[in-house]
Amino acid sequence: RNGAIGLLPPEIKQAVVTSEYPVLVPDSKQVDVRYLALLLRSPNFQHLLKQAASGTSGRKRVHGDNFADLEIPLPEPAEQRQLLDGYEKALGNAAKLDADALVLEHRAIREFEAALGLVPPPDLPRKPFQIAQFKNMDRWSHECVLQNSLVSKTADSALATAALGDYVEVTHGCGASPSPRTTKLEVLKISAATRGELRPSEKKFAFDRPEFRRRFDLRRGDVLLCRVNGTLAYVGMSALVEEDMSDMIFPDKLIRVRVKDSALLPDYLWRLLQLPNMRVQIESYARTAVGNYAIGSTDVAEFQIPLPPIQTQHALTKMLRESRHEAAAKRSEAARR
């Protein structure tokens, strides 16, 4: 059905399947089971399966006789094992490249934190309830009580800190519904900013109105924050706008942070907001309502950030950028392999 093929692993000695799944037993003298599993899942064989399928669109099946008539390349068992060895070696090399890329990124972040004198915050006990005094509570929020009770709300840095609102302009996004018709103006989806990097391809059409273009425009250097999400880790997640986007606006579930002071570098702010120490602040501000967590523009303005000299910010962001490029090259090579 729809090319669904399962291989019973050696650790399962007996199993039961529904009548939707015919059970086929490979002839081990002719074919290595691992070779067969890879072959049946290959794009070419999936194409053959689709051609052999029949039935209505939602319930297509490949009948047993049609399946048995499909032809496959079948080299000698020794050659099958040779192919498998080459495949698994390439897969292992690809996995090592992916792991190396991750190490590069983590090392760069640690250097970034160390340069700012930041110490990673302690792991907090995730209890179902907390006890706090009213004078220590900014709002009704389990996360707020937890953070305020156990962790400083300001960035724990060797550098002087400053309120983010003194250096930026904070704006909520457009609350209008997307346009059901194609227009020349587009609006980002919330998912475009929740992974730490901007994904402009995740968008919808918006009503093309001059006031929308004027109030919710996106320029190079803008930092977008996720304002509301059902997952706490996504709230306040930052994404950098790396070029002017003349025909794109942002929705009300995102907040635009636009730097207005030359003492703060947008690239630096973008990466800073993703550090564990800043996540502590962001999550302490998060309020809950109807299953969602949310922060507001006034919360963002109150964030306390370490502010090194602009030359240091340039050097740190350059280091991070080079590490990201090197990691991306390793991942690209891993995908090729």
Side-chain angles (χ1 to χ4, degrees):
R1 178 182 175 187
N2 297 328
I5 295 170
L7 180 69
L8 196 68
E11 58 268 22
I12 299 180
K13 304 303 180 184
Q14 290 183 321
V16 176
V17 296
T18 72
S19 59
E20 293 287 338
Y21 289 88
V23 178
L24 307 175
V25 182
D27 183 351
S28 59
K29 293 180 180 179
Q30 297 188 69
V31 63
D32 188 299
V33 175
R34 297 174 300 155
Y35 169 82
L36 187 60
L38 287 173
L39 183 67
L40 298 184
R41 290 170 179 154
S42 67
N44 179 267
F45 193 79
Q46 292 293 312
H47 177 68
L48 295 177
L49 281 177
K50 289 179 181 178
Q51 288 183 324
S54 61
T56 58
S57 59
R59 302 289 293 179
K60 286 190 175 182
R61 291 175 174 78
V62 179
H63 294 285
D65 292 341
N66 294 339
F67 184 85
D69 288 340
L70 295 175
E71 294 189 351
I72 62 169
L74 192 64
E76 292 297 320
E79 189 176 351
Q80 293 177 36
R81 288 190 289 273
Q82 186 179 0
L83 288 169
L84 283 165
D85 290 343
Y87 170 79
E88 290 173 355
K89 181 179 178 181
L91 208 61
N93 289 336
K96 184 179 184 306
L97 285 167
D98 275 330
D100 290 346
L102 197 60
V103 168
L104 265 174
E105 291 173 334
H106 284 176
R107 184 183 301 149
I109 291 297
R110 296 289 83 81
E111 290 179 17
F112 187 68
E113 287 181 311
L116 298 177
L118 292 170
V119 178
D123 291 331
L124 302 181
R126 299 293 168 179
K127 299 177 181 178
F129 63 88
Q130 303 291 332
I131 298 175
Q133 294 180 307
F134 278 113
K135 66 179 181 180
N136 295 328
M137 291 179 61
D138 291 340
R139 56 186 59 86
W140 286 101
S141 164
H142 173 274
E143 202 66 31
C144 174
V145 173
L146 180 63
Q147 303 289 5
N148 286 350
S149 299
L150 301 174
V151 179
S152 170
K153 201 170 184 180
T154 59
D156 185 14
S157 171
L159 299 171
T161 60
L164 181 57
D166 293 338
Y167 298 88
V168 301
E169 174 189 280
V170 184
T171 307
H172 276 219
C174 179
S177 300
S179 170
R181 298 183 180 85
T182 301
T183 69
K184 293 183 179 180
L185 184 64
E186 295 173 315
V187 58
L188 292 171
K189 296 180 180 178
I190 186 175
S191 56
T194 53
R195 296 177 181 88
E197 293 187 4
L198 189 64
R199 299 193 177 194
S201 60
E202 299 189 19
K203 58 190 178 182
K204 299 178 181 179
F205 290 107
F207 291 101
D208 195 349
R209 297 174 182 166
E211 62 177 301
F212 290 172
R213 287 179 176 270
R214 184 178 64 255
R215 292 173 56 195
F216 309 113
D217 66 314
L218 291 170
R219 304 176 196 166
R220 183 178 183 275
D222 287 344
V223 177
L224 295 175
L225 300 185
C226 179
R227 183 180 67 83
V228 58
N229 202 284
T231 302
L232 182 61
Y234 288 161
V235 174
M237 182 53 68
S238 60
L240 179 69
V241 178
E242 300 195 52
E243 59 184 6
D244 290 347
M245 306 174 76
S246 58
D247 294 318
M248 184 77 75
I249 60 175
F250 62 105
D252 65 339
K253 289 187 178 180
L254 296 179
I255 294 175
R256 184 188 67 200
V257 179
R258 178 168 289 170
V259 174
K260 63 181 182 181
D261 193 306
S262 59
L264 178 62
L265 193 66
D267 295 47
Y268 167 78
L269 175 62
W270 164 47
R271 301 302 294 187
L272 177 69
L273 290 170
Q274 296 177 12
L275 294 181
N277 297 73
M278 291 305 303
R279 290 300 312 168
V280 166
Q281 285 194 60
I282 292 168
E283 293 179 11
S284 73
Y285 279 104
R287 298 174 285 280
T288 55
V290 200
N292 283 321
Y293 297 91
I295 57 173
S297 56
T298 55
D299 301 325
V300 175
E302 290 179 8
F303 291 169
Q304 296 293 312
I305 62 168
L307 199 63
I310 195 69
Q311 296 88 347
T312 302
Q313 296 179 41
H314 276 291
L316 289 175
T317 54
K318 180 184 178 184
M319 180 270 294
L320 285 176
R321 194 180 308 113
E322 290 174 349
S323 297
R324 286 174 59 217
H325 288 167
E326 189 177 349
K330 287 181 179 293
R331 289 196 174 98
S332 179
E333 175 62 12
R336 188 190 67 79
R337 294 193 181 213

